[in-house]
Amino acid sequence: MLIDNVDIIIEGGHGGAGKVSFGKAKKSGPDGGDGGKGGDLYFESVNDLRLLNQFLTKKHVRAEDGYPGDRLNKTGKNGNDLTIYIPTGTQVIEKQTGWVINDFVNPSIKKLMCKGGLGGHGNAFFKNSRNTTPLKAQGGLPGDKYEVTLDLKIVVDYGLIGLPNSGKSSLLNELTGANAKVGNFPFTTLEPNIGVVSKTKKIIADIPGLIDGASKGKGLGTKFLKHIEKVRVLIHCISSESEDFDKDYKIVRNELKNYGKQLDKKPELILITKSDLLSSKTKFKNSLNISIYDPESIDKLLSLLN
């Protein structure tokens, strides 16, 4: 499962409160210390496409708060900074304005997103010749806080497309060692599964199965089709179990065209999957017969994905 767009709240830590203290007695003078600063929040990009999945259940991330001041003019400890790792290729967009705050186009980019709030002054800070026994201290200040959209702009090298049950997930697992769920029923895959070919480092995505009417939203179709926008080359899978190769091919091609955004103009490689079930060496147009149980056909496909 790959999450490529998510809304979250990010926040720096709250500054610690100042302390009101007078030692053993007021005549000893004020000795309340300042609160510590709240922690800063950073984003850092790394090459892990699944990192946005962490926000499925964690919609609000905040650095540690500063600690309160103490007696004897002791300043509270600063809150720890927090670094959140996000996938390379992620844009951080301010939700209210739509502005791109940061664009993590390369790995190992680390940027400050939210400053922590300053700690409040303790009552020792407010002592002066006119007020030798101040009874007030400041609360700490809040850290920066933003509601943002994290949008993964990754471009996938190859996208496996086709009708449900066309063998895409099994093929992805064989080509990349991914662990995509496999099942003989529609919509086993509800989100793109991602794998990387070990030798070439090419990224392959198993795009959820398309159906007739997908471009109009049927079967979560528009959500599925959206992922294809990020694919360089389409690998169109047609199951050898199909009763009509041409019909199945045209269903998917029509949905790509109807969706728009030039999806039907992308380069395409056609595969007849599960070829071990073919009763003959049937071919379809300029297709390649392939089976996960036929190492030779897998090697031939991998040689094309360079």
Side-chain angles (χ1 to χ4, degrees), residues 16 82 130 211 251 268-269 275 277 281 290 298 300:
L82 176 63
R130 294 185 177 182
I211 60 174
I251 287 175
E268 179 185 56
L269 172 65
S275 63
L277 302 179
K281 295 295 183 180
I290 192 165
I298 294 294
K300 185 174 182 179

Side-chain angles (χ1 to χ4, degrees), residues 203-275:
I203 299 173
I204 304 178
D206 164 21
I207 307 298
L210 302 177
I211 60 174
D212 195 5
S215 58
K216 297 179 180 178
K218 188 175 180 181
L220 301 178
T222 52
K223 181 178 180 181
F224 294 167
L225 284 160
K226 172 181 176 291
H227 297 297
I228 302 175
E229 296 177 37
K230 302 179 181 182
V231 174
R232 295 185 189 277
V233 178
L234 304 177
I235 301 178
H236 194 151
C237 298
I238 304 172
S239 173
S240 65
E241 300 168 301
S242 171
E243 296 181 357
D244 189 331
F245 288 177
D246 191 62
K247 178 182 178 181
D248 287 357
Y249 176 76
K250 288 180 178 178
I251 287 175
V252 174
R253 293 298 304 177
N254 286 339
E255 296 308 323
L256 296 179
K257 183 176 181 179
N258 292 338
Y259 182 74
K261 300 189 178 182
Q262 302 293 304
L263 297 192
D264 61 322
K265 305 299 182 183
K266 291 179 179 288
E268 179 185 56
L269 172 65
I270 304 171
L271 302 181
I272 302 300
T273 61
K274 311 178 188 178
S275 63

Side-chain angles (χ1 to χ4, degrees), residues 7 28 48 50 73 86-88 96 100 102 105 108 127 138 165 171 181 194 224 232 242 248 279:
D7 294 332
S28 302
D48 186 341
R50 300 179 185 275
N73 293 301
I86 60 174
T88 301
Q96 185 175 3
V100 176
N102 276 306
V105 294
S108 302
K127 179 183 177 180
Q138 292 177 325
N165 303 328
L171 183 57
K181 184 178 180 182
I194 296 289
F224 294 167
R232 295 185 189 277
S242 171
D248 287 357
S279 57

